[in-house]
Amino acid sequence: MSDTSQDRRLERVEHILGSGSGVLGFAIDGQNQYETWVGVEDAEWTVYGVKSVENAEEDRFVMYPEEDYFICEITSEKSGGEDKSVQCWSE
């Protein structure tokens, strides 16, 4: 897994693997490993355009997009010094 601790935009995200501990894994088309974002429990992330959510192992779940892919924007810090966040939508 690759850590996405910097501000960046991920495109062609096939699904998102989430956990209750605040970690998100992004399966990107054409890559063999997940890009990961490590938040904290109750971290701020939002995903729009979810077609379905399935249980994975233990405390993990998988979100699939309504359209072909998700696009996700990751910010390391919001203005005003707030914590990092993730926003994803289906396109």
Side-chain angles (χ1 to χ4, degrees), residues 36-90:
T36 58
W37 177 79
V38 181
V40 294
E41 194 169 339
D42 299 326
E44 185 172 321
W45 54 268
T46 307
V47 180
Y48 299 101
V50 176
K51 179 179 183 177
S52 65
V53 177
E54 295 179 4
N55 287 328
E57 71 277 350
E58 297 181 25
D59 73 336
R60 295 178 180 221
F61 54 91
V62 181
M63 294 178 279
Y64 294 97
E66 285 180 345
E67 303 299 327
D68 293 333
Y69 300 103
F70 287 116
I71 294 173
C72 298
E73 290 195 356
I74 298 168
T75 56
S76 57
E77 188 175 292
K78 292 185 196 176
S79 60
E82 293 180 29
D83 289 336
K84 54 190 174 180
S85 67
V86 174
Q87 285 200 343
C88 299
W89 60 93
S90 179

